[in-house]
Amino acid sequence: MYARRRRNRFLMMGGCVVLFVSAWAVVRLWSMPVAIGMCVVAMVIPPVAAMVANRRGPDDRWWDDPSGDPKSDEWWDELDGRKRR
């Protein structure tokens, strides 16, 4: 699951770099508004890449992990209606 997250983030950030570099190296020679639009799209990609990379998958059971504080774990188990062994 972590390899998939890293790969997705790498691809998105690579696309961001390609958009930015191609916008100012090539596209600006033909159309400045298109180059600016490409940079705006490239500007939005890093936050989206961070959200995608940090998204939990259905197989990630992070909510079941104990916090390490026995009193807190006991309280949460009581709220969830289950007993921890």
Side-chain angles (χ1 to χ4, degrees):
M1 78 186 121
Y2 294 115
R4 177 180 43 86
R5 289 182 192 171
R6 280 195 308 263
R7 184 182 65 242
N8 287 342
R9 187 171 191 285
F10 177 76
L11 289 174
M12 291 180 80
M13 294 304 289
C16 177
V17 170
V18 167
L19 276 173
F20 187 75
V21 170
S22 66
W24 293 112
V26 178
V27 177
R28 73 173 169 89
L29 301 174
W30 288 287
S31 174
M32 190 62 105
V34 172
I36 292 170
M38 289 172 67
C39 284
V40 168
V41 170
M43 180 181 68
V44 172
I45 291 175
V48 172
M51 287 185 272
V52 167
N54 292 324
R55 183 181 61 210
R56 300 285 183 173
D59 54 342
D60 293 340
R61 301 294 297 213
W62 58 272
W63 61 87
D64 285 343
D65 292 342
S67 66
D69 178 19
K71 189 126 180 116
S72 174
D73 292 339
E74 180 183 330
W75 183 74
W76 281 107
D77 289 342
E78 182 181 334
L79 283 178
D80 290 339
R82 63 180 188 181
K83 300 285 184 199
R84 189 177 297 271
R85 294 175 200 142

